[in-house]
């Protein structure tokens, strides 16, 4: 029986650790029949080492999504390995340390601007850079952390994720005529490199122990990866502009 991504070609960003959602997305995508290519920044060598743990060998390209020069060249680089793309996975987020950890009221604009560009605007810039490779439609899937609420210590990553969620909706609006779907997975907390960079992450994660209807495992990124793979597949052919929660149901619980 063939996998749900059989014959598809997918570009995946953000594979930094084996514990990341992006890594498990890449692993599942290969297991489900996709050809994949990875991008990484600032240390492609780190991603290359992690990628050796995937079921099949994969090419890693360097891409800084805040660099217009690198974005301008990424389609040609991908084309050397994959002639077209059917999907893009945006697993990119960054905020300077002074934009996190309870410093919300004192964070300077320069740090906020960095968080917004890398964490939100990059969804648009990455998608547009790769659009020439998606002539037959496809699926763009990003990762968010529920921006409906103000989370402890999350500070300016919260507004950045809200901007990401809005950006996905506008991309869905404008790319629908090209048969390109744009959706997000809103995952619960995972003990990834990104999470560990957030001061007080343990306090935030403890919320899931107290309120999540389904037991949540901080060390298991596979459920979120499965959600990403499902949205990359043809099983959601008319779903776009959506945010699907893979968070144990916590988003539905008031207290």
């Amino acid at each position: 029986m063939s996998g749900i991504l059989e014959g598809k070609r997918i570009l995946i960003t953000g594979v930094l650790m084996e514990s990341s959602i992006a890594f498990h997305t890449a692993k599942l995508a290969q297991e489900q029949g996709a050809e994949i290519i990875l991008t990484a920044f600032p240390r492609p060598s780190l991603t290359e080492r992690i990628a050796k743990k995937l079921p099949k060998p994969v090419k890693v390209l360097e891409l800084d999504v805040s660099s217009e020069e690198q974005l301008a060249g990424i389609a040609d680089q991908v084309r050397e390995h994959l002639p077209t793309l059917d999907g893009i996975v945006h697993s990119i987020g960054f905020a300077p340390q002074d934009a996190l950890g309870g410093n919300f009221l004192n964070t300077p604009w320069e740090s906020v601007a960095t968080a917004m560009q890398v964490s939100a605007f990059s969804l648009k810039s990455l998608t547009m850079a790769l659009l020439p490779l998606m002539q037959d439609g496809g699926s763009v899937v990003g990762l968010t952390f529920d921006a409906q609420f103000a989370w402890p210590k999350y500070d300016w990553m919260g507004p950045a994720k809200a901007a990401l969620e809005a950006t996905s909706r506008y991309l869905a609006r404008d790319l629908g005529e090209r048969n390109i779907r744009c959706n997000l997975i809103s995952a619960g907390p995972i003990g990834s490199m990104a999470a560990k960079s957030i001061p007080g992450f343990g306090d935030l994660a403890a919320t899931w122990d107290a309120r999540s209807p389904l037991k949540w495992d901080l060390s298991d990124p596979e459920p979120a990866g499965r959600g990403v793979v499902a949205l990359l597949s043809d099983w959601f052919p008319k779903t776009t502009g959506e945010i699907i929660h893979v968070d144990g149901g916590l988003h539905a619980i008031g207290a």
Side-chain angles (χ1 to χ4, degrees):
M1 182 178 178
S2 61
I4 62 172
L5 296 185
E6 193 68 38
K8 294 195 180 296
R9 300 175 175 124
I10 311 293
L11 180 141
I12 301 173
T13 66
V15 175
L16 295 176
M17 297 176 67
E18 194 172 356
S19 61
S20 69
I21 295 171
F23 175 86
H24 283 264
T25 297
K27 178 175 180 288
L28 290 164
Q30 285 189 332
E31 292 172 350
Q32 291 300 315
E35 292 181 80
I36 68 171
I37 193 166
L38 306 180
T39 69
F41 186 80
R43 293 173 61 193
S45 60
L46 175 61
T47 296
E48 288 170 350
R49 287 199 298 272
I50 298 299
K52 291 178 181 178
K53 299 182 180 182
L54 291 170
K56 300 176 183 178
V58 61
K59 182 66 178 177
V60 178
L61 302 176
E62 181 177 354
L63 177 62
D64 176 2
V65 291
S66 66
S67 167
E68 292 186 13
E69 181 180 358
Q70 290 195 20
L71 285 167
I74 190 62
D76 287 339
Q77 289 188 62
V78 171
R79 199 179 279 116
E80 292 177 9
H81 307 280
L82 298 177
T84 60
L85 285 177
D86 303 290
I88 300 168
V89 178
H90 180 279
S91 181
I92 301 169
F94 172 76
Q97 282 300 111
D98 62 355
L100 300 164
N103 196 46
F104 184 84
L105 297 179
N106 300 308
T107 303
W109 164 245
E110 291 77 13
S111 296
V112 174
T114 297
M116 290 290 179
Q117 180 180 19
V118 177
S119 305
F121 182 76
S122 64
L123 179 64
K124 192 278 295 189
S125 55
L126 177 67
T127 300
M128 294 306 295
L130 296 169
L131 199 59
L133 301 177
M134 301 182 76
Q135 295 299 316
D136 297 322
S139 175
V140 178
V141 185
L143 290 164
T144 188
F145 190 75
D146 203 331
Q148 298 179 87
F149 308 105
W151 297 102
K153 310 293 186 180
Y154 205 50
D155 291 355
W156 281 101
M157 276 302 292
K161 290 297 187 183
L164 175 73
E165 293 176 7
T167 300
S168 180
R169 288 189 288 269
Y170 278 89
L171 282 173
R173 181 195 71 180
D174 290 352
L175 296 180
E177 64 182 12
R178 297 172 182 255
N179 196 34
I180 294 174
R181 297 169 284 123
C182 301
N183 297 287
L184 299 176
I185 291 292
S186 181
I190 297 295
S192 63
M193 181 178 291
K196 291 174 182 177
S197 70
I198 301 171
F201 174 78
D203 295 337
L204 189 156
T207 304
W208 264 256
D209 291 334
R211 290 174 47 201
S212 176
L214 298 174
K215 185 177 179 180
W216 187 254
D217 185 352
L218 285 170
S219 64
D220 185 10
E222 186 169 316
R226 284 175 177 261
V228 175
V229 167
L231 285 172
L232 290 169
S233 78
D234 293 331
W235 286 95
F236 284 86
K238 299 300 179 183
T239 298
T240 195
E242 185 61 89
I243 300 173
I244 294 180
H245 290 81
V246 182
D247 67 347
L250 185 135
H251 71 281
I253 306 301

